[in-house]
Coordinates of all heavy atoms in Angstrom, one line a residue:
M191 N 28.0 27.6 -2.8 CA 29.0 28.2 -2.0 C 29.9 27.2 -1.3 O 31.1 27.4 -1.2 CB 28.3 29.2 -1.1 CG 29.2 30.0 -0.2 SD 30.1 31.2 -1.2 CE 31.1 32.0 0.1
T192 N 29.2 26.2 -0.7 CA 29.9 25.2 0.1 C 30.9 24.4 -0.8 O 32.1 24.1 -0.4 CB 29.0 24.3 0.8 OG1 28.1 25.0 1.5 CG2 29.7 23.2 1.6
L193 N 30.5 24.1 -2.0 CA 31.3 23.4 -2.9 C 32.5 24.2 -3.3 O 33.6 23.7 -3.4 CB 30.5 23.0 -4.2 CG 31.2 22.2 -5.3 CD1 31.7 20.8 -4.6 CD2 30.3 21.9 -6.4
L194 N 32.4 25.5 -3.4 CA 33.5 26.4 -3.8 C 34.5 26.4 -2.6 O 35.7 26.4 -2.8 CB 33.0 27.8 -4.0 CG 34.0 28.8 -4.5 CD1 34.7 28.4 -5.7 CD2 33.4 30.2 -4.6
L195 N 34.0 26.4 -1.3 CA 34.9 26.4 -0.2 C 35.7 25.0 -0.1 O 36.8 25.0 0.2 CB 34.1 26.6 1.1 CG 33.6 28.0 1.3 CD1 32.7 28.0 2.6 CD2 34.8 29.0 1.5
V196 N 35.0 23.9 -0.4 CA 35.6 22.6 -0.4 C 36.7 22.6 -1.5 O 37.8 22.1 -1.3 CB 34.6 21.5 -0.5 CG1 35.3 20.2 -0.8 CG2 33.7 21.4 0.7
A197 N 36.4 23.1 -2.6 CA 37.3 23.1 -3.7 C 38.6 23.9 -3.4 O 39.7 23.5 -3.7 CB 36.7 23.6 -5.0
A198 N 38.3 25.1 -2.8 CA 39.4 25.9 -2.4 C 40.3 25.3 -1.3 O 41.6 25.3 -1.4 CB 38.9 27.3 -1.9
A199 N 39.7 24.6 -0.3 CA 40.4 24.0 0.7 C 41.2 22.8 0.1 O 42.4 22.6 0.5 CB 39.5 23.5 1.8
T200 N 40.7 22.1 -0.8 CA 41.4 21.0 -1.4 C 42.6 21.5 -2.3 O 43.6 20.9 -2.2 CB 40.4 20.2 -2.4 OG1 39.3 19.7 -1.6 CG2 41.1 19.1 -3.0
L201 N 42.4 22.6 -3.0 CA 43.5 23.2 -3.7 C 44.6 23.6 -2.8 O 45.8 23.3 -3.1 CB 43.0 24.4 -4.5 CG 44.0 25.1 -5.4 CD1 44.6 24.1 -6.4 CD2 43.4 26.3 -6.0
V202 N 44.3 24.3 -1.7 CA 45.3 24.7 -0.7 C 46.0 23.5 -0.1 O 47.3 23.5 -0.1 CB 44.6 25.6 0.4 CG1 45.6 25.8 1.5 CG2 44.2 26.9 -0.2
F203 N 45.3 22.4 0.2 CA 45.9 21.2 0.7 C 46.9 20.6 -0.3 O 48.0 20.2 0.1 CB 44.8 20.2 1.1 CG 45.3 18.9 1.5 CD1 45.8 18.7 2.8 CD2 45.3 17.8 0.6 CE1 46.3 17.5 3.2 CE2 45.8 16.6 1.0 CZ 46.3 16.4 2.3
V204 N 46.5 20.5 -1.5 CA 47.3 19.9 -2.6 C 48.6 20.8 -2.8 O 49.7 20.2 -2.9 CB 46.5 19.7 -3.9 CG1 47.5 19.3 -5.0 CG2 45.5 18.6 -3.7
L205 N 48.4 22.1 -2.8 CA 49.6 22.9 -3.0 C 50.5 22.9 -1.8 O 51.7 23.1 -2.0 CB 49.1 24.3 -3.4 CG 48.4 24.5 -4.7 CD1 47.9 25.9 -4.9 CD2 49.3 24.1 -5.9
E206 N 50.0 22.7 -0.7 CA 50.9 22.7 0.6 C 51.5 21.4 0.8 O 52.5 21.3 1.6 CB 50.0 23.1 1.8 CG 49.6 24.6 1.8 CD 50.8 25.5 2.0 OE1 51.7 25.2 2.7 OE2 50.8 26.6 1.4
N207 N 51.0 20.3 0.2 CA 51.6 19.0 0.4 C 52.2 18.4 -0.9 O 51.8 17.3 -1.3 CB 50.5 18.1 1.0 CG 50.1 18.5 2.4 OD1 50.9 18.3 3.3 ND2 49.0 19.1 2.5
R208 N 53.1 19.1 -1.5 CA 53.7 18.7 -2.8 C 55.0 17.9 -2.6 O 55.5 17.3 -3.5 CB 54.0 19.8 -3.7 CG 52.7 20.4 -4.2 CD 53.0 21.5 -5.3 NE 53.6 22.6 -4.7 CZ 54.1 23.6 -5.3 NH1 54.0 23.7 -6.6 NH2 54.6 24.7 -4.7
Q209 N 55.4 17.7 -1.3 CA 56.6 17.0 -1.1 C 56.4 15.5 -1.5 O 55.3 15.0 -1.3 CB 57.2 17.0 0.3 CG 56.3 16.5 1.4 CD 55.3 17.6 1.9 OE1 55.0 18.5 1.3 NE2 54.8 17.3 3.1
V210 N 57.4 14.9 -2.0 CA 57.3 13.5 -2.6 C 57.5 12.5 -1.4 O 58.2 12.7 -0.6 CB 58.3 13.3 -3.7 CG1 57.8 12.2 -4.7 CG2 58.7 14.5 -4.4
A211 N 56.7 11.4 -1.6 CA 56.8 10.3 -0.6 C 56.6 9.0 -1.2 O 56.0 8.9 -2.3 CB 55.8 10.5 0.5
T212 N 57.2 8.0 -0.6 CA 57.1 6.6 -1.1 C 56.5 5.8 0.1 O 57.1 5.9 1.2 CB 58.4 6.0 -1.6 OG1 58.9 6.8 -2.6 CG2 58.3 4.6 -2.0
L213 N 55.5 4.9 -0.1 CA 55.0 4.1 0.9 C 55.5 2.6 0.7 O 55.5 2.2 -0.5 CB 53.5 4.1 0.9 CG 52.9 5.5 1.3 CD1 51.3 5.3 1.3 CD2 53.3 6.0 2.6
V214 N 55.8 1.9 1.8 CA 56.2 0.6 1.7 C 55.3 -0.2 2.6 O 55.2 0.1 3.8 CB 57.7 0.3 2.1 CG1 58.1 -1.1 2.0 CG2 58.6 1.2 1.2
L215 N 54.7 -1.3 2.0 CA 53.8 -2.1 2.8 C 54.0 -3.6 2.4 O 53.7 -3.9 1.3 CB 52.3 -1.7 2.6 CG 51.3 -2.5 3.3 CD1 51.4 -2.2 4.9 CD2 49.9 -2.1 2.9
F216 N 54.4 -4.4 3.4 CA 54.7 -5.8 3.1 C 55.6 -6.1 1.9 O 55.4 -6.9 1.1 CB 53.4 -6.6 3.0 CG 52.5 -6.5 4.1 CD1 51.2 -5.9 4.0 CD2 52.8 -6.9 5.4 CE1 50.3 -5.8 5.0 CE2 52.0 -6.7 6.5 CZ 50.7 -6.2 6.3
G217 N 56.6 -5.2 1.8 CA 57.5 -5.4 0.7 C 57.1 -4.7 -0.6 O 57.9 -4.7 -1.6
W218 N 55.9 -4.3 -0.7 CA 55.4 -3.6 -1.9 C 55.7 -2.1 -1.8 O 55.3 -1.5 -0.8 CB 53.9 -3.9 -2.1 CG 53.3 -3.2 -3.3 CD1 53.5 -3.6 -4.6 CD2 52.4 -2.1 -3.3 NE1 52.8 -2.8 -5.4 CE2 52.1 -1.9 -4.7 CE3 51.9 -1.3 -2.4 CZ2 51.3 -0.8 -5.1 CZ3 51.0 -0.3 -2.7 CH2 50.8 -0.1 -4.1
T219 N 56.3 -1.5 -2.8 CA 56.7 -0.1 -2.7 C 55.9 0.6 -3.8 O 55.8 0.2 -4.9 CB 58.2 0.0 -3.0 OG1 58.9 -0.8 -2.1 CG2 58.6 1.5 -2.9
T220 N 55.3 1.8 -3.4 CA 54.6 2.6 -4.3 C 55.6 3.5 -5.0 O 56.7 3.8 -4.5 CB 53.6 3.5 -3.5 OG1 54.3 4.4 -2.7 CG2 52.6 2.7 -2.8
P221 N 55.2 4.0 -6.2 CA 56.1 5.0 -6.8 C 56.1 6.3 -6.0 O 55.2 6.5 -5.2 CB 55.4 5.2 -8.2 CG 54.0 4.7 -8.0 CD 54.0 3.7 -7.0
Q222 N 57.0 7.2 -6.3 CA 57.1 8.4 -5.5 C 56.0 9.3 -6.1 O 55.9 9.6 -7.3 CB 58.4 9.1 -5.8 CG 59.6 8.4 -5.0 CD 60.9 9.2 -5.1 OE1 61.0 10.1 -5.9 NE2 61.8 8.8 -4.3
L223 N 55.2 9.7 -5.1 CA 54.0 10.6 -5.5 C 54.0 11.7 -4.4 O 54.4 11.5 -3.3 CB 52.7 9.8 -5.5 CG 52.6 8.7 -6.5 CD1 51.3 7.8 -6.3 CD2 52.5 9.3 -7.9
P224 N 53.3 12.8 -4.7 CA 53.1 13.8 -3.7 C 52.3 13.3 -2.5 O 51.4 12.4 -2.7 CB 52.3 14.9 -4.5 CG 52.5 14.6 -5.9 CD 52.8 13.2 -6.0
M225 N 52.6 13.8 -1.3 CA 52.0 13.3 -0.1 C 50.5 13.5 -0.2 O 49.7 12.7 0.3 CB 52.5 14.1 1.1 CG 51.9 13.7 2.4 SD 52.2 11.9 2.8 CE 54.0 12.0 3.2
A226 N 50.0 14.6 -0.9 CA 48.6 14.9 -1.0 C 47.9 13.7 -1.7 O 46.7 13.4 -1.4 CB 48.4 16.1 -1.9
V227 N 48.5 13.0 -2.6 CA 47.9 11.8 -3.3 C 47.6 10.7 -2.3 O 46.5 10.2 -2.2 CB 48.8 11.3 -4.4 CG1 48.2 10.0 -5.0 CG2 48.9 12.3 -5.5
F228 N 48.5 10.4 -1.4 CA 48.3 9.3 -0.4 C 47.3 9.7 0.6 O 46.4 9.0 0.9 CB 49.7 9.0 0.3 CG 50.7 8.5 -0.6 CD1 51.9 9.1 -0.8 CD2 50.5 7.3 -1.3 CE1 52.9 8.5 -1.7 CE2 51.4 6.8 -2.2 CZ 52.6 7.4 -2.4
V229 N 47.3 11.0 1.0 CA 46.3 11.4 2.1 C 45.0 11.5 1.4 O 44.0 11.0 2.1 CB 46.7 12.8 2.6 CG1 45.7 13.3 3.6 CG2 48.1 12.7 3.4
S230 N 44.8 11.9 0.2 CA 43.5 12.0 -0.5 C 43.0 10.6 -0.7 O 41.8 10.3 -0.5 CB 43.7 12.7 -1.8 OG 44.1 14.0 -1.6
A231 N 43.9 9.7 -1.1 CA 43.5 8.2 -1.3 C 42.9 7.6 0.0 O 41.9 6.9 0.1 CB 44.6 7.4 -1.8
A232 N 43.7 7.9 1.1 CA 43.2 7.4 2.4 C 41.9 8.0 2.8 O 41.0 7.3 3.4 CB 44.3 7.7 3.5
L233 N 41.7 9.3 2.6 CA 40.4 9.9 2.8 C 39.3 9.3 2.0 O 38.2 9.0 2.6 CB 40.5 11.4 2.5 CG 39.2 12.2 2.7 CD1 38.8 12.3 4.1 CD2 39.3 13.6 2.1
L234 N 39.5 9.1 0.8 CA 38.5 8.5 -0.1 C 38.1 7.1 0.3 O 37.0 6.7 0.4 CB 38.9 8.6 -1.5 CG 38.9 9.9 -2.2 CD1 39.5 9.9 -3.6 CD2 37.5 10.5 -2.2
L235 N 39.2 6.3 0.7 CA 38.9 4.9 1.2 C 38.1 5.0 2.5 O 37.2 4.1 2.6 CB 40.2 4.2 1.4 CG 40.9 3.7 0.1 CD1 42.3 3.2 0.5 CD2 40.1 2.7 -0.6
G236 N 38.4 5.9 3.3 CA 37.6 6.0 4.6 C 36.2 6.4 4.3 O 35.3 5.9 4.9
L237 N 36.0 7.4 3.4 CA 34.7 7.8 3.0 C 33.8 6.7 2.4 O 32.6 6.7 2.6 CB 34.7 9.0 2.1 CG 35.2 10.3 2.7 CD1 35.4 11.4 1.6 CD2 34.2 10.8 3.8
L238 N 34.5 5.8 1.7 CA 33.8 4.7 1.1 C 33.5 3.5 2.1 O 32.5 2.9 2.1 CB 34.5 4.1 -0.1 CG 34.6 5.0 -1.3 CD1 35.5 4.4 -2.4 CD2 33.3 5.3 -1.9
A239 N 34.5 3.3 3.0 CA 34.4 2.1 3.9 C 33.4 2.4 5.1 O 32.7 1.5 5.5 CB 35.8 1.9 4.5
S240 N 33.3 3.7 5.5 CA 32.5 4.0 6.6 C 31.0 3.6 6.4 O 30.4 3.0 7.2 CB 32.6 5.5 7.0 OG 33.9 5.7 7.5
P241 N 30.4 4.1 5.2 CA 29.0 3.7 5.0 C 28.8 2.2 4.9 O 27.8 1.7 5.3 CB 28.6 4.5 3.7 CG 29.6 5.5 3.6 CD 30.9 5.1 4.2
L242 N 29.8 1.6 4.2 CA 29.6 0.1 4.1 C 29.6 -0.6 5.4 O 28.8 -1.5 5.6 CB 30.8 -0.4 3.2 CG 30.7 0.1 1.7 CD1 31.9 -0.4 0.9 CD2 29.4 -0.4 1.0
L243 N 30.5 -0.2 6.3 CA 30.5 -0.8 7.6 C 29.3 -0.5 8.4 O 28.8 -1.3 9.1 CB 31.8 -0.4 8.4 CG 33.1 -1.0 7.9 CD1 34.3 -0.3 8.6 CD2 33.1 -2.5 8.1
G244 N 28.9 0.8 8.2 CA 27.6 1.2 8.9 C 26.4 0.3 8.4 O 25.6 0.0 9.3
M245 N 26.3 0.1 7.1 CA 25.2 -0.7 6.6 C 25.3 -2.2 7.2 O 24.3 -2.8 7.5 CB 25.2 -0.7 5.1 CG 24.7 0.6 4.5 SD 24.5 0.5 2.8 CE 26.0 -0.1 2.1
L246 N 26.6 -2.7 7.3 CA 26.7 -4.0 7.8 C 26.2 -4.1 9.3 O 25.5 -5.0 9.6 CB 28.2 -4.4 7.7 CG 28.6 -5.7 8.3 CD1 28.1 -6.8 7.5 CD2 30.1 -5.8 8.5
F247 N 26.6 -3.2 10.1 CA 26.2 -3.2 11.5 C 24.7 -2.9 11.6 O 24.1 -3.5 12.5 CB 27.0 -2.1 12.3 CG 28.5 -2.5 12.5 CD1 29.5 -1.7 12.2 CD2 28.8 -3.8 13.0 CE1 30.8 -2.0 12.3 CE2 30.1 -4.2 13.1 CZ 31.1 -3.3 12.7
Y248 N 24.2 -2.0 10.8 CA 22.8 -1.7 10.8 C 22.0 -3.0 10.4 O 21.0 -3.3 11.1 CB 22.5 -0.6 9.8 CG 21.0 -0.3 9.7 CD1 20.4 0.4 10.8 CD2 20.2 -0.6 8.6 CE1 19.1 0.8 10.7 CE2 18.9 -0.3 8.6 CZ 18.3 0.4 9.6 OH 17.0 0.8 9.5
G249 N 22.4 -3.7 9.4 CA 21.8 -5.0 9.1 C 21.8 -6.0 10.2 O 20.8 -6.7 10.4
R250 N 22.9 -6.1 10.9 CA 23.0 -7.0 12.0 C 22.1 -6.6 13.1 O 21.4 -7.5 13.7 CB 24.5 -7.0 12.5 CG 24.6 -8.0 13.7 CD 26.0 -8.0 14.2 NE 27.0 -8.5 13.2 CZ 28.3 -8.4 13.4 NH1 28.8 -7.9 14.5 NH2 29.1 -8.8 12.5
L251 N 22.0 -5.4 13.4 CA 21.0 -4.9 14.4 C 19.6 -5.1 14.0 O 18.8 -5.5 14.9 CB 21.3 -3.4 14.7 CG 22.5 -3.1 15.5 CD1 22.7 -1.5 15.6 CD2 22.5 -3.7 16.9
R252 N 19.3 -5.0 12.7 CA 17.9 -5.3 12.3 C 17.6 -6.7 12.5 O 16.4 -7.1 12.8 CB 17.7 -4.8 10.9 CG 17.6 -3.3 10.7 CD 17.3 -3.0 9.3 NE 16.1 -3.7 8.8 CZ 15.0 -3.2 8.5 NH1 14.9 -1.8 8.6 NH2 14.0 -3.9 8.1
M253 N 18.5 -7.6 12.2 CA 18.3 -9.0 12.4 C 18.1 -9.4 13.8 O 17.2 -10.2 14.2 CB 19.5 -9.8 11.8 CG 19.5 -9.8 10.3 SD 20.9 -10.6 9.5 CE 21.3 -12.0 10.5
Q254 N 18.9 -8.8 14.7 CA 18.7 -9.0 16.1 C 17.4 -8.5 16.6 O 16.7 -9.1 17.5 CB 19.8 -8.3 16.9 CG 21.2 -9.0 16.8 CD 22.3 -8.3 17.5 OE1 22.1 -7.2 18.0 NE2 23.4 -8.9 17.6
L255 N 17.0 -7.3 16.1 CA 15.7 -6.8 16.5 C 14.5 -7.7 16.1 O 13.6 -8.0 16.9 CB 15.5 -5.4 15.9 CG 14.1 -4.7 16.2 CD1 13.9 -4.5 17.6 CD2 14.0 -3.4 15.4
A256 N 14.6 -8.2 14.8 CA 13.6 -9.1 14.3 C 13.5 -10.4 15.2 O 12.4 -10.9 15.6 CB 13.8 -9.5 12.9
S257 N 14.7 -10.9 15.6 CA 14.7 -12.1 16.5 C 14.1 -11.8 17.8 O 13.3 -12.6 18.3 CB 16.2 -12.5 16.6 OG 16.3 -13.5 17.6
R258 N 14.4 -10.6 18.4 CA 13.8 -10.3 19.7 C 12.3 -10.1 19.6 O 11.6 -10.4 20.5 CB 14.5 -9.0 20.2 CG 16.0 -9.1 20.5 CD 16.3 -10.1 21.6 NE 17.7 -10.0 22.0 CZ 18.7 -10.7 21.5 NH1 18.4 -11.6 20.6 NH2 19.9 -10.6 21.9
Q259 N 11.9 -9.5 18.5 CA 10.4 -9.3 18.3 C 9.7 -10.7 18.2 O 8.6 -10.8 18.8 CB 10.2 -8.5 17.1 CG 10.5 -7.0 17.3 CD 10.3 -6.2 16.0 OE1 10.4 -6.7 14.9 NE2 10.1 -4.9 16.1
R260 N 10.3 -11.7 17.5 CA 9.7 -13.0 17.5 C 9.7 -13.6 18.9 O 8.7 -14.3 19.2 CB 10.5 -13.9 16.5 CG 10.3 -13.6 15.0 CD 10.9 -14.6 14.1 NE 12.3 -14.8 14.3 CZ 13.2 -14.0 13.6 NH1 12.8 -13.1 12.7 NH2 14.5 -14.2 13.7
Q261 N 10.7 -13.4 19.6 CA 10.8 -14.0 21.0 C 9.7 -13.3 21.8 O 9.0 -14.0 22.6 CB 12.1 -13.7 21.7 CG 13.2 -14.6 21.1 CD 14.6 -14.2 21.7 OE1 14.7 -13.2 22.4 NE2 15.6 -15.1 21.5
L262 N 9.5 -12.0 21.6 CA 8.5 -11.3 22.4 C 7.1 -11.8 22.1 O 6.3 -12.0 23.0 CB 8.6 -9.8 22.1 CG 7.5 -8.9 22.8 CD1 7.6 -9.0 24.3 CD2 7.6 -7.5 22.3
V263 N 6.8 -12.1 20.8 CA 5.5 -12.6 20.4 C 5.3 -14.0 21.0 O 4.2 -14.2 21.6 CB 5.4 -12.6 18.9 CG1 4.2 -13.4 18.4 CG2 5.3 -11.2 18.3
E264 N 6.3 -14.8 21.0 CA 6.2 -16.2 21.6 C 5.9 -16.0 23.1 O 5.1 -16.8 23.7 CB 7.4 -17.0 21.4 CG 7.6 -17.4 19.9 CD 6.4 -18.2 19.4 OE1 6.0 -19.2 20.2 OE2 6.0 -18.0 18.3
C265 N 6.6 -15.1 23.8 CA 6.4 -15.0 25.2 C 5.0 -14.4 25.5 O 4.4 -14.8 26.5 CB 7.5 -14.0 25.8 SG 9.1 -14.7 25.9
Q266 N 4.6 -13.5 24.7 CA 3.2 -13.0 24.9 C 2.2 -14.1 24.7 O 1.1 -14.1 25.5 CB 2.9 -11.8 23.9 CG 3.7 -10.6 24.3 CD 3.6 -9.5 23.3 OE1 3.4 -9.7 22.1 NE2 3.8 -8.2 23.7
K267 N 2.3 -14.9 23.7 CA 1.4 -16.1 23.5 C 1.4 -17.0 24.7 O 0.4 -17.5 25.2 CB 1.8 -16.8 22.2 CG 1.5 -16.1 21.0 CD 1.9 -16.9 19.8 CE 1.7 -16.2 18.5 NZ 2.2 -17.0 17.3
E268 N 2.6 -17.3 25.2 CA 2.7 -18.2 26.4 C 2.1 -17.5 27.6 O 1.3 -18.2 28.4 CB 4.2 -18.5 26.7 CG 4.4 -19.6 27.7 CD 5.8 -19.9 27.9 OE1 6.7 -19.5 27.0 OE2 6.1 -20.6 28.9
L269 N 2.2 -16.3 27.8 CA 1.7 -15.6 28.9 C 0.1 -15.6 28.8 O -0.6 -15.8 29.8 CB 2.1 -14.2 29.0 CG 1.6 -13.3 30.1 CD1 2.0 -13.9 31.5 CD2 2.1 -11.8 30.0
A270 N -0.4 -15.4 27.6 CA -1.8 -15.4 27.4 C -2.4 -16.8 27.7 O -3.5 -17.0 28.3 CB -2.1 -15.0 25.9
R271 N -1.6 -17.9 27.3 CA -2.1 -19.3 27.6 C -2.2 -19.5 29.2 O -3.1 -20.1 29.6 CB -1.2 -20.3 27.1 CG -1.4 -20.6 25.6 CD -0.7 -21.9 25.1 NE 0.7 -22.0 25.7 CZ 1.8 -21.8 25.0 NH1 1.7 -21.4 23.8 NH2 2.9 -22.0 25.6
F272 N -1.2 -19.0 29.9 CA -1.2 -19.1 31.3 C -2.3 -18.3 32.0 O -2.9 -18.8 33.0 CB 0.2 -18.7 32.0 CG 1.2 -19.8 31.7 CD1 2.5 -19.4 31.2 CD2 1.0 -21.1 32.0 CE1 3.5 -20.3 31.0 CE2 2.0 -22.0 31.8 CZ 3.3 -21.6 31.3
T273 N -2.6 -17.2 31.5 CA -3.6 -16.3 32.2 C -5.0 -16.8 31.8 O -5.9 -16.5 32.5 CB -3.4 -14.8 31.8 OG1 -3.5 -14.7 30.3 CG2 -2.1 -14.3 32.3
Q274 N -5.2 -17.5 30.7 CA -6.5 -18.0 30.3 C -6.9 -19.3 31.0 O -8.0 -19.7 31.0 CB -6.6 -18.2 28.8 CG -6.6 -16.8 28.1 CD -6.5 -17.0 26.6 OE1 -6.5 -18.1 26.1 NE2 -6.5 -15.9 25.9
K275 N -5.9 -20.0 31.6 CA -6.2 -21.3 32.2 C -6.9 -21.1 33.5 O -6.5 -20.2 34.3 CB -4.9 -22.1 32.5 CG -4.3 -22.8 31.2 CD -3.1 -23.6 31.6 CE -2.6 -24.3 30.4 NZ -1.4 -25.1 30.8
P276 N -7.9 -21.8 33.8 CA -8.6 -21.7 35.1 C -7.7 -22.2 36.2 O -6.9 -23.2 36.0 CB -9.8 -22.5 35.0 CG -9.6 -23.4 33.9 CD -8.6 -22.8 33.0
A277 N -7.7 -21.6 37.3 CA -6.9 -22.1 38.5 C -7.4 -23.5 39.0 O -8.5 -23.7 39.1 CB -6.9 -21.1 39.6
A278 N -6.4 -24.3 39.2 CA -6.8 -25.7 39.7 C -7.1 -25.6 41.2 O -6.3 -25.0 42.0 CB -5.6 -26.6 39.5
E279 N -8.3 -26.1 41.5 CA -8.7 -26.0 43.0 C -8.7 -27.4 43.6 O -9.0 -28.4 43.1 CB -10.1 -25.4 43.0 CG -10.0 -24.0 42.6 CD -11.4 -23.3 42.6 OE1 -12.3 -23.8 43.4 OE2 -11.6 -22.3 42.0

C-alpha cells in the first residue's frame, strides 16, 4: 500500500513539474530537461550521500570511543598501582 502511495505521489510530482529548465554550473550547461528530472536527481543524490556521510561520522565516533576506552584502561591500571602501594611512613 505504501509503495502505491509513493508511486502515485511521484507520478503527480512528475506531471505537475513538466516545465523545461536548463542548469548552468561553472560554465557547464545541461540540456533542457523537465524540472522533475533535476529535482529527482537531487533527491536521489541526497538519499545516497546521507548514509555515506553518516557511516563516515559513525566510524570516526567509533575510533574516538576506542581511543577513550584505551585511555580509561590505562588510567584504571595507574590508579590500581597507586592504591596498592603502601603508604610511606
Side-chain angles (χ1 to χ4, degrees):
M191 180 68 178
T192 304
L193 185 58
L194 184 60
L195 287 174
V196 170
T200 302
L201 180 63
V202 168
F203 174 77
V204 168
L205 291 176
E206 288 294 323
N207 291 288
R208 290 188 291 174
Q209 63 270 24
V210 209
T212 301
L213 296 180
V214 179
L215 180 66
F216 302 120
W218 180 72
T219 305
T220 64
Q222 288 188 346
L223 295 171
M225 182 61 71
V227 171
F228 295 119
V229 174
S230 299
L233 173 69
L234 289 174
L235 285 173
L237 288 173
L238 292 173
S240 295
L242 294 175
L243 289 173
M245 287 188 308
L246 176 71
F247 291 127
Y248 180 73
R250 182 183 295 173
L251 287 175
R252 284 185 56 112
M253 288 175 35
Q254 288 177 352
L255 177 62
S257 173
R258 298 295 189 268
Q259 286 175 335
R260 286 190 298 273
Q261 288 176 349
L262 177 61
V263 167
E264 290 300 316
C265 289
Q266 287 172 337
K267 287 179 184 177
E268 187 174 349
L269 180 63
R271 280 196 317 258
F272 284 131
T273 56
Q274 290 175 358
K275 285 185 179 178
E279 295 180 20

